[in-house]
Amino acid sequence: MRTDKFYPQHSKWSLGKVAKKFKTIKLDGAFQRWGGVEKHSGWAFEDSRAYIESAISGSVYNTIIFANVNENISYAKSVNDEESLAYYEAIAAEGYELLSIDGNNSTSTIYHFISNHEEMYVMKDDQKKLYSELEESEREAIHDDEKLRVVILDRIGIRDVCNLFRKLNTSTKLNDQEFRQARWSKLSKFIRELANQHKDIFTNFVFKGVEPLDKRLHEEITAQLCLRIEKDDPSSLKKRFLDEFYEESSALKPGTETNVKKILTIASKMSEHFSGVSKSKKITKGKLHSLFLLIEMAIDEDYEILDNKGFLEWFLKVDNEFDQLSLQIIEADKQEKSYTYWTKTYGQSKYYKKIKAILIERLMLDLEDLETAKILKPKRTGAQAFTFKDAKRLYFLQGGKTRTGMEIEILDLYASGKYEVDHVEPVADGGETTIPNGELMTMHDNRSKGASSNEPHFQHQQQ
């Protein structure tokens, strides 16, 4: 009876056999890096060329590891592993026979060498030689000599595949986000798929090439957004907390998924207006998170963004204004007062809170202008009553006071029912349920006023 875990089949393959089988090998970016010759998170070209030299001379000692697709379909059926069965059947339907677990850089290098990739050559007599330019005897040896150690696993579920990949991948160390994503969960699947669906956000706004995509940095930024919304006020967005997020959470709350999808969908439309911007004019990751935060705030305030370009332009003006003000701040005060400093260190909770505070204040101040410019539109209709969010906003616009100058205790908005939002011009007279026609006042004053109109008193009512 076999006792080896995963039922490994050990053999040796020639370079020619590896190249022949390459198209039947599934490289699944769901859990592993997009490495190989044509990607940037694996070996550099010089590493691949060195490997070819060693492989031809028979001096490579790494083991290439695959999972046998058909055998593992049978295994999954025998142990009622529905998740693995669905996974292996899906890649079998794509025409794959093997699943790459370890050694993708090796197999990709060999395939592209034998396919005469221009960068995959060996040095012979101080000259670069492609595979097709080698002597016939050398090509025959490459095709026939069995020099590479190969292990094929016949009984391994998809979760064990992911765990094994993590443990084995030490020669070319996974970066932080690659390691996080090498996990089989709804959380990692959601982040991976959504980040790649909206990768234009990151290439247009932030990245200066394709390498960050191959290193999954767009997935890391998406993961940070998910963490911030899921935890509401995370202690940090740095490595340790992201690692814990992935290990401790198997899935996001439905509300988090909905909000993240909305934010990225809107940001994607905005990024179209940044397409073609030169590398030197891209925004930072911290500034992108500021944009995400403002989009989220607009959604939370029950506004629809009608003009994506207009909202982006407003954000860029506000961002630039805060940057220019930051230039006037002395070095000793930057941590406490500089928006530019905060966006560079956005991963720390105290700076995230400062960014959030300054952005929400500016959004509140500019809301009427954004409505007038038809950039934002309240989702409610005029016949609806004012909301609690309206009450909080009017508290802010009125400076925490009634028109008689009486201080409004913020806790009374939440608990006592002492205050109400009144229509300055009653609905019966054509008044709308809008902030310019709203006023926070005591219940007593509202009842005493009845259906009569008030003259505008606060600045927000002058419109």
Side-chain angles (χ1 to χ4, degrees):
M1 180 178 176
R2 294 285 303 279
T3 58
D4 293 343
K5 191 174 185 180
F6 308 140
Y7 276 39
Q9 306 290 334
H10 298 265
S11 62
K12 283 198 171 184
W13 286 11
S14 67
L15 274 65
K17 184 174 181 178
V18 171
K20 183 178 179 180
K21 285 284 189 181
F22 184 73
K23 295 285 186 166
T24 70
I25 300 168
K26 170 75 171 180
L27 173 66
D28 192 345
F31 66 87
Q32 57 183 297
R33 63 159 39 100
W34 287 113
V37 170
E38 295 179 346
K39 297 294 180 180
H40 304 273
S41 59
W43 293 346
F45 285 149
E46 54 266 29
D47 297 326
S48 291
R49 291 191 288 266
Y51 184 82
I52 294 168
E53 296 274 5
S54 298
I56 290 174
S57 66
S59 56
V60 292
Y61 304 104
N62 66 307
T63 301
I64 300 170
I65 303 177
F66 303 122
N68 187 311
V69 174
N70 285 330
E71 288 294 329
N72 279 294
I73 288 174
S74 299
Y75 170 64
K77 289 178 179 177
S78 70
V79 296
N80 295 318
D81 183 351
E82 294 183 3
E83 183 178 51
S84 296
L85 177 61
Y87 176 79
Y88 284 117
E89 285 184 335
I91 61 176
E94 295 177 39
Y96 293 107
E97 300 173 6
L98 301 168
L99 172 66
S100 176
I101 298 177
D102 197 43
N104 172 68
N105 285 319
S106 299
T107 56
S108 176
T109 290
I110 293 166
Y111 170 78
H112 284 90
F113 169 59
I114 292 181
S115 299
N116 293 299
H117 187 287
E118 61 181 3
E119 292 291 345
M120 297 297 102
Y121 55 79
V122 294
M123 297 301 295
K124 293 286 185 180
D125 302 322
D126 295 325
Q127 291 185 331
K128 298 177 181 179
K129 297 281 188 180
L130 299 178
Y131 170 76
S132 61
E133 296 171 332
L134 297 176
E135 297 290 335
E136 184 178 354
S137 59
E138 291 178 296
R139 296 200 303 272
E140 288 178 354
I142 288 170
H143 263 279
D144 299 334
D145 292 352
E146 296 179 341
K147 298 176 179 179
L148 301 172
R149 292 182 294 183
V150 174
V151 173
I152 301 178
L153 306 180
D154 289 346
R155 301 186 66 171
I156 183 169
I158 184 57
R159 290 182 181 270
D160 282 327
V161 166
C162 295
N163 291 332
L164 183 59
F165 169 74
R166 277 181 162 185
K167 292 175 182 177
L168 292 172
N169 220 300
T170 55
S171 59
T172 305
K173 190 177 183 299
L174 299 173
N175 68 37
D176 292 336
Q177 188 60 21
E178 287 174 331
F179 187 83
R180 294 181 196 113
Q181 284 292 139
R183 182 171 182 260
W184 203 254
S185 70
K186 291 181 179 179
L187 171 70
S188 61
K189 183 175 186 290
F190 175 81
I191 290 172
R192 175 176 59 253
E193 291 181 350
L194 195 64
N196 284 288
Q197 179 185 345
H198 294 297
K199 61 185 178 183
D200 55 314
I201 296 173
F202 311 96
T203 54
N204 289 339
F205 277 132
V206 179
F207 296 159
K208 299 177 181 179
V210 298
E211 185 173 351
L213 290 175
D214 293 324
K215 292 184 176 180
R216 298 185 186 270
L217 297 188
H218 59 312
E219 295 177 13
E220 182 172 76
I221 296 172
T222 304
Q224 289 174 326
L225 176 62
C226 291
L227 171 58
R228 180 174 64 73
I229 293 177
E230 181 87 348
K231 303 297 184 183
D232 186 37
D233 186 16
S235 56
S236 175
L237 298 180
K238 288 189 170 181
K239 173 179 166 22
R240 178 166 70 89
F241 296 93
L242 277 177
D243 291 346
E244 290 176 358
F245 184 46
Y246 269 84
E247 295 302 322
E248 296 173 1
S249 305
S250 59
L252 293 168
K253 298 172 185 174
T256 301
E257 289 193 1
T258 300
N259 286 339
V260 172
K261 286 178 180 178
K262 286 180 181 178
I263 292 167
L264 292 188
T265 297
I266 294 169
S268 179
K269 294 176 182 176
M270 291 181 184
S271 76
E272 294 173 4
H273 303 288
F274 238 63
S275 178
V277 168
S278 65
K279 294 179 180 180
S280 62
K281 296 178 181 178
K282 302 276 188 177
I283 65 175
T284 64
K285 290 188 288 185
K287 299 293 183 72
L288 181 60
H289 276 291
S290 292
L291 178 59
F292 288 161
L293 190 55
L294 278 169
I295 294 171
E296 181 188 4
M297 289 173 181
I299 293 171
D300 285 346
E301 293 298 321
D302 288 328
Y303 275 87
E304 179 184 358
I305 299 177
L306 295 176
D307 182 356
N308 291 300
K309 182 180 180 183
F311 192 90
L312 175 61
E313 288 178 338
W314 171 75
F315 162 72
L316 293 172
K317 289 177 183 177
V318 170
D319 177 77
N320 181 58
E321 179 183 324
F322 290 159
D323 275 341
Q324 297 307 312
L325 291 172
S326 296
L327 292 174
Q328 304 171 26
I329 298 171
I330 63 173
E331 189 68 30
D333 291 338
K334 283 187 176 179
Q335 292 188 25
E336 289 302 316
K337 299 180 179 180
S338 171
Y339 167 81
T340 304
Y341 181 87
W342 302 337
T343 56
K344 289 179 180 177
T345 51
Y346 67 92
Q348 297 184 35
S349 178
K350 62 180 180 180
Y351 300 125
Y352 155 73
K353 290 177 181 178
K354 288 179 179 292
I355 294 169
K356 183 176 182 179
I358 196 173
L359 291 180
I360 189 66
E361 180 179 15
R362 186 52 178 268
L363 180 62
M364 290 297 182
L365 286 172
D366 290 356
L367 265 176
E368 274 72 37
D369 291 339
L370 293 170
E371 286 186 50
T372 301
K374 300 189 183 302
I375 293 172
L376 294 181
K377 175 187 176 183
K379 289 185 178 179
R380 62 176 178 270
T381 65
Q384 289 179 309
F386 285 103
T387 66
F388 179 60
K389 288 182 179 179
D390 295 329
K392 290 192 294 180
R393 184 168 160 215
L394 288 165
Y395 172 87
F396 171 80
L397 293 173
Q398 293 175 204
K401 296 180 180 180
T402 66
R403 68 167 53 212
T404 62
M406 184 181 72
E407 296 283 345
I408 301 173
E409 296 292 336
I410 187 69
L411 280 176
D412 286 337
L413 293 184
Y414 287 82
S416 71
K418 182 178 179 180
Y419 294 94
E420 295 179 341
V421 179
D422 174 58
H423 292 82
V424 179
E425 181 182 6
V427 174
D429 295 336
E432 297 182 344
T433 309
T434 60
I435 292 300
N437 194 44
E439 183 173 333
L440 187 62
M441 61 176 62
T442 66
M443 181 187 296
H444 176 268
D445 287 344
N446 191 21
R447 298 293 188 270
S448 299
K449 169 179 173 284
S452 61
S453 297
N454 272 339
E455 290 297 320
H457 177 79
F458 295 102
Q459 185 177 355
H460 74 273
Q461 296 169 342
Q462 305 305 316
Q463 299 180 37

